[in-house]
Amino acid sequence: MYLKKYFTEGLVQLAILLSLCGLRVDVGLEPYLPSHEMMLGPSAGITQTQFHNLWNHLDNSHHRSHPKNIDLDGFASSRRLLGWVRSLDRLQVPNAELETWLVHREQGTLPGEHHSQPTPLERAPVSLEGDRAGPALQPGDILRNQEGEEQDEADDDVNMESPAWSDRSPREETQRQVLPNRQTYSDPLNEEGEGETGDGLEEEEEEEELARTSRSTRERKDSAGYRESAQNDEDQMSLSLQECLRLLEHTFPFTHQPSEEILPPNGGAVDHERLSAERRPLLSPLIPSDLELQWQDLLAIMEPQGLDVSTPFPSNLETDGFSGAIQNPLDATILSIYPSSLNSHNDNQMIYQDVHLMEAALPPASLTPQFEPSGTNPNLPMIPPSHLLVDDEEDGDYGLPSPLGDLLEDATILDEMSLLDLALEEGFSPEMAARLEEEESEEKADSDSGLSLDCSFSPASPCGSESSCYSSSSTSSSSSGSSTGSLYSEGNEQKDEEGGINLDMELEMTIKQEEEEGAVGGYYTSDVNKIVPTSYQEEKLFNGLPWQEHIGHDHTYNQAWPSTPTATGKASMKQSKYSSRQRTTKPYTRSSPKRFAEAELWSRDDRRARSLKIPFSNELIINLPVDDYNELLANHRLNEQQLNLMRDIRRRGKNKMAAQNCRRRKLGALLGLEEDVSGLRRQRAWLRREKQEALKSLQEMEQRLESLYQEVMFSLRDEDGRPLDATDYAIQFGDNGSVTVTPRRHRTLPRADSKAGKKHKDKKCDESK
DNA sequence: GATCCTTGTCATCGT
DNA sequence: CCACGATGACAAGGA
């Protein structure tokens, strides 16, 4: 992480230098540009926040990362960037160029930033030392940044474990870390000799930090509902507005820089800033890290609205004529959050003028005149989504749902949830089913937004899989089951009990028939209501039941529903080639017959359940614990057929999962055995090599022994002093270690044989000995 | 059409 | 005895 940070900062430096040289620095982070977020009103964020809070009630384990909190973090990086730019004040900077780059940079940084920004203590020395060496350090980090946040998300949980909508905000911890580090880190900066920092600055700012921290903590407790706590917000506004403005004062490069003359003519703000600077002599204009810290704190303060914050500024700012001229999202945030106070403040002129500098940097197309001075923008739907969609597509690849997509998804999920509640309360209605299907198809089309994926598609997600499955099954049950029931079940219930084949055939015929007719029946709802005396409380149990604990497990029963767009997600598609094959091999149009073609693909049990009007989804039937299942059966008056079918469904479903697990296990065991086999083969080869080497060494030893024997024999003499013939004598080794030379008993009679032949024979004899 | 693969289902056994 | 999981065997469907 530190390396990455260092490299990123070094890259920032490099980019700044290039910009100073007049080169356009484009790090290719445009896909992450959150400009569309600036176009959305705060209501989007509000909705999102509300939704996520609501969602957190359902499941806290999801949406560990949301792009919006990253956007907020991007502000901090932009602040750091600005600080660094100001640290280059000695240089003659073509300001417009630099500002343009800043826009790119700060937008591009957003995806890669994390909550746990390096503490100033860590960062400050780096900024001093690693300015030059930084860019060459970790080229992979920038790639990671460009590849999107998902990687980062996966890499460091610590960084991304703080979704802005989660109740638990790690920024608190971050701030707690920041505070003690502060004193130490700011010292070297002061020593660096920007020289304008007063001694009392740290203390003052530290106090501010503390105040901000307490405020932010307090505000964070309020979590997303800042609409409800408008009074608190006003208090915080009054408290933090000065901080914001002071930080802004630091932010603008032309404020304290000696290179004011190079600024555009509207640098008249300089006077304001000078005045403000004189009014606050303690503020150091050139402490990037301090500023960054301040901005981080400020962001931390605003984090509870984090999701909201990213969206509101456009509507507030752009209306005023300088739309889109937001120098950075934070400025806009400030403006949006404290619009009234800002207008009354002295320094707002400065802000506006500085904002004008950016008009050239941002394309006018992205400027949407929607100003709501009230601060709360309820006019979210009025936001023109034209360019947002483009961003949406761009972001989609990186799992960064666009605000529009978020909105759609939020609305979708909210609607779905409300519909579910409604369904649970009032039974299943075909309208709900149709709506759900439409929304789900929208989600599918919208696809890549992580929200929908996480919450409704991932089979591994506890909440997502089950709730979605439940909803999907409800949907399917209501939609198709209704039609089936309308045409069939009334007359076929008796026959169905007899044999499933008959039923299946009839059901399929029915489905085909309905597919031709394109009819959507509506019987199921009423029947369900009849069958199930749905007390809402009782049904509501199913949403928050303990059986949901079992849902996140790695059962792949969902795979049995390849055609239902609700229950099948990308993950399940990846898991099941079969499913994909089925999907691909049976292409159906997206028109109305689609759901009937899908119904044709539904499982037999599902169809049976629908035909018998069983008011529960198969997932529910299968995954409920025994107690809950029995309770379910006891609470609902079901006839024999339904009970039998439910029992069969449960048995088959469980057995299906068991079979899948078994096969998975078997496959794993097979793989393990294969590994064992390969290991054993390696071991055998090694042993063979060892054996060969042993044989080789043995032969060498034999050869040496033979040569030694010959040498000894040649050195021996008989009584006459003649050398012994090795063919006639042999060396005997006694048990007690004695060595004796004895004449060979079995002499080969034909001495005419060649010596070689004799030697061979002798050798054999010797060897045999 | 034969073959292989995947998946669902049933029967059976053990816990 | 029942619920449940594991597993072999078989069938169906698709490639």
Side-chain angles (χ1 to χ4, degrees):
Chain A
M1 245 178 60
Y2 294 151
L3 293 179
K4 174 185 176 182
K5 172 195 62 183
Y6 297 163
F7 174 67
T8 304
E9 293 174 351
L11 190 72
V12 168
Q13 292 281 332
L14 179 63
I16 291 173
L17 292 176
L18 290 175
S19 294
L20 295 178
C21 296
L23 295 175
R24 171 181 170 81
V25 178
D26 193 344
V27 291
L29 296 174
E30 283 76 9
Y32 306 97
L33 295 186
S35 60
H36 53 274
E37 299 220 2
M38 303 170 66
M39 313 307 294
L40 281 180
S43 58
I46 292 169
T47 303
Q48 203 138 34
T49 304
Q50 287 175 340
F51 168 73
H52 287 304
N53 283 336
L54 182 58
W55 193 261
N56 284 333
H57 288 301
L58 298 176
D59 181 19
N60 287 330
S61 65
H62 280 295
H63 315 296
R64 294 169 57 80
S65 68
H66 194 281
K68 300 247 174 174
N69 58 353
I70 298 166
D71 293 343
L72 284 180
D73 289 333
F75 298 163
S77 68
S78 65
R79 294 302 92 196
R80 181 183 4 159
L81 178 64
L82 288 173
W84 285 6
V85 171
R86 268 188 279 108
S87 71
L88 299 172
D89 59 342
R90 302 271 192 279
L91 301 174
Q92 299 296 320
V93 180
N95 202 38
E97 180 75 13
L98 183 59
E99 298 261 328
T100 301
W101 177 84
L102 283 177
V103 170
H104 280 284
R105 170 58 186 158
E106 81 179 3
Q107 290 170 345
T109 332
L110 297 181
E113 289 298 323
H114 305 294
H115 272 297
S116 65
Q117 286 287 328
T119 60
L121 175 60
E122 303 157 357
R123 190 183 303 120
V126 176
S127 64
L128 298 180
E129 300 172 1
D131 285 348
R132 293 100 193 154
L137 284 181
Q138 292 88 14
D141 289 333
I142 190 65
L143 289 179
R144 279 180 42 176
N145 273 341
Q146 292 177 353
E147 285 171 0
E149 67 169 83
E150 297 177 5
Q151 194 112 11
D152 299 331
E153 210 177 304
D155 285 344
D156 36 10
D157 294 333
V158 180
N159 289 341
M160 301 307 294
E161 75 176 357
S162 61
W165 56 87
S166 75
D167 297 335
R168 166 173 165 271
S169 171
R171 192 177 286 276
E172 292 185 18
E173 288 108 17
T174 306
Q175 277 200 334
R176 286 191 209 101
Q177 295 172 358
V178 165
L179 281 177
N181 291 338
R182 219 193 134 93
Q183 185 70 39
T184 42
Y185 100 87
S186 54
D187 284 344
L189 274 179
N190 294 336
E191 293 173 4
E192 191 183 13
E194 299 301 333
E196 301 180 17
T197 307
D199 290 338
L201 178 60
E202 287 94 7
E203 297 178 359
E204 182 190 72
E205 289 179 349
E206 194 161 349
E207 292 175 1
E208 293 178 2
E209 289 278 349
L210 288 171
R212 275 194 294 268
T213 306
S214 60
R215 284 196 303 272
S216 64
T217 307
R218 185 183 62 225
E219 186 172 346
R220 224 172 280 114
K221 289 175 184 174
D222 299 337
S223 191
Y226 82 90
R227 283 194 303 184
E228 295 100 17
S229 61
Q231 185 61 39
N232 292 338
D233 286 349
E234 287 184 2
D235 297 337
Q236 291 155 9
M237 279 169 51
S238 60
L239 285 173
S240 54
L241 175 61
Q242 285 189 352
E243 301 168 5
C244 296
L245 292 175
R246 288 163 68 180
L247 293 175
L248 280 172
E249 194 177 357
H250 288 298
T251 302
F252 298 114
F254 48 82
T255 303
H256 301 279
Q257 292 183 4
S259 59
E260 290 170 356
E261 60 276 6
I262 67 170
L263 291 175
N266 52 358
V270 170
D271 295 333
H272 286 281
E273 302 225 343
R274 271 179 182 165
L275 290 175
S276 58
E278 290 172 1
R279 286 194 301 268
R280 297 177 185 85
L282 288 179
L283 289 180
S284 169
L286 294 171
I287 309 177
S289 300
D290 265 350
L291 283 176
E292 178 186 356
L293 187 65
Q294 292 174 358
W295 282 108
Q296 282 184 356
D297 298 336
L298 183 61
L299 290 171
I301 291 171
M302 297 183 296
E303 189 183 26
Q305 305 133 358
L307 296 175
D308 318 335
V309 161
S310 58
T311 47
F313 25 85
S315 59
N316 287 336
L317 278 181
E318 292 159 1
T319 27
D320 212 16
F322 53 88
S323 54
I326 306 155
Q327 178 163 0
N328 56 63
L330 188 56
D331 298 343
T333 304
I334 296 166
L335 289 175
S336 61
I337 292 179
Y338 316 106
S340 56
S341 306
L342 189 61
N343 290 334
S344 61
H345 199 273
N346 289 337
D347 293 338
N348 57 353
Q349 184 90 15
M350 162 196 76
I351 294 171
Y352 291 165
Q353 287 177 347
D354 185 67
V355 157
H356 278 291
L357 296 177
M358 293 304 303
E359 288 185 353
L362 285 178
S366 65
L367 313 179
T368 45
Q370 292 190 13
F371 187 68
E372 276 294 323
S374 60
T376 66
N377 1 348
N379 55 349
L380 177 69
M382 296 175 60
I383 295 169
S386 58
H387 43 278
L388 303 181
L389 291 175
V390 176
D391 290 338
D392 188 20
E393 290 178 0
E394 290 176 354
D395 289 344
D397 294 336
Y398 299 89
L400 296 175
S402 73
L404 186 60
D406 290 341
L407 277 174
L408 288 175
E409 288 166 1
D410 292 347
T412 297
I413 298 171
L414 282 172
D415 286 344
E416 185 173 348
M417 292 165 62
S418 61
L419 284 171
L420 271 178
D421 286 342
L422 203 66
L424 291 174
E425 192 172 4
E426 303 175 356
F428 304 90
S429 67
E431 295 90 358
M432 180 196 78
R435 190 170 171 186
L436 280 177
E437 272 199 7
E438 289 176 4
E439 289 166 356
E440 284 154 2
S441 62
E442 278 184 14
E443 278 189 10
K444 216 175 175 182
D446 211 355
S447 73
D448 278 342
S449 64
L451 186 62
S452 63
L453 276 180
D454 283 343
C455 65
S456 63
F457 281 146
S458 172
S461 63
C463 169
S465 70
E466 269 315 313
S467 60
S468 66
C469 288
Y470 183 46
S471 65
S472 73
S473 60
S474 318
T475 303
S476 59
S477 300
S478 57
S479 63
S480 308
S482 59
S483 56
T484 305
S486 66
L487 291 179
Y488 254 96
S489 56
E490 297 294 339
N492 286 338
E493 279 185 356
Q494 312 303 327
K495 291 187 290 183
D496 294 344
E497 182 65 15
E498 300 173 0
I501 301 174
N502 241 354
L503 170 64
D504 290 343
M505 291 177 58
E506 289 171 353
L507 279 175
E508 289 176 3
M509 287 174 58
T510 304
I511 291 167
K512 287 177 181 176
Q513 186 176 350
E514 290 169 356
E515 185 173 355
E516 292 175 358
E517 296 176 359
V520 177
Y523 279 72
Y524 199 23
T525 304
S526 59
D527 289 338
V528 165
N529 282 332
K530 289 175 187 173
I531 294 172
V532 186
T534 43
S535 64
Y536 174 68
Q537 302 297 333
E538 214 170 42
E539 287 291 346
K540 202 174 179 181
L541 278 177
F542 301 155
N543 256 344
L545 273 182
W547 59 267
Q548 282 189 342
E549 299 171 0
H550 303 255
I551 292 158
H553 299 172
D554 189 17
H555 61 73
T556 49
Y557 188 78
N558 295 342
Q559 294 179 5
W561 311 59
S563 57
T564 55
T566 55
T568 57
K570 287 182 177 178
S572 61
M573 280 199 276
K574 287 177 186 174
Q575 286 182 2
S576 172
K577 256 178 16 182
Y578 176 69
S579 304
S580 61
R581 263 191 286 172
Q582 269 192 339
R583 213 187 326 277
T584 52
T585 52
K586 288 203 174 182
Y588 42 79
T589 59
R590 289 167 128 344
S591 57
S592 60
K594 159 188 149 186
R595 66 186 53 169
F596 300 104
E598 292 169 356
E600 201 174 7
L601 295 176
W602 276 328
S603 66
R604 284 186 297 169
D605 281 340
D606 198 22
R607 278 176 281 161
R608 288 170 182 161
R610 276 182 283 119
S611 101
L612 288 186
K613 300 168 187 173
I614 291 176
F616 313 110
S617 69
N618 285 8
E619 285 80 5
L620 186 66
I621 295 170
I622 293 165
N623 295 310
L624 269 181
V626 188
D627 297 337
D628 295 332
Y629 179 71
N630 291 331
E631 189 179 358
L632 184 74
L633 293 183
N635 290 336
H636 298 82
R637 236 165 27 88
L638 301 173
N639 57 33
E640 193 67 20
Q641 299 175 3
Q642 289 172 326
L643 290 176
N644 289 335
L645 182 57
M646 282 179 67
R647 190 182 61 243
D648 289 342
I649 287 172
R650 185 173 172 87
R651 175 175 48 82
R652 278 193 288 261
K654 285 189 173 298
N655 186 251
K656 189 192 293 182
M657 291 185 290
Q660 289 168 350
N661 290 333
C662 181
R663 283 161 180 153
R664 197 177 301 124
R665 248 194 323 273
K666 189 187 290 182
L667 192 62
L670 190 63
L671 293 177
L673 287 176
E674 286 180 353
E675 287 184 2
D676 292 346
V677 168
S678 60
L680 289 173
R681 281 179 176 157
R682 283 193 301 268
Q683 187 178 1
R684 186 180 63 175
W686 180 80
L687 289 173
R688 281 178 173 173
R689 282 196 305 271
E690 289 283 307
K691 182 184 175 183
Q692 293 297 326
E693 291 177 359
L695 286 175
K696 190 178 176 182
S697 63
L698 181 62
Q699 289 177 353
E700 289 177 357
M701 290 177 67
E702 286 177 349
Q703 288 178 358
R704 287 173 55 189
L705 180 62
E706 175 65 19
S707 61
L708 186 63
Y709 188 88
Q710 295 295 336
E711 184 179 355
V712 169
M713 288 299 294
F714 281 128
S715 63
L716 291 178
R717 296 290 185 271
D718 59 3
E719 298 85 358
D720 302 333
R722 291 173 297 184
L724 294 178
D725 188 0
T727 59
D728 295 335
Y729 297 90
I731 300 175
Q732 302 276 340
F733 300 95
D735 294 336
N736 53 0
S738 62
V739 178
T740 58
V741 178
T742 58
R744 294 180 185 274
R745 293 179 181 178
H746 309 292
R747 297 275 308 189
T748 56
L749 297 177
R751 286 188 63 100
D753 289 349
S754 64
K755 273 193 174 180
K758 291 176 186 174
K759 279 185 181 177
H760 279 299
K761 286 179 181 177
D762 293 342
K763 270 185 185 175
K764 284 179 182 175
C765 292
D766 294 339
E767 287 177 5
S768 65
K769 291 175 183 176

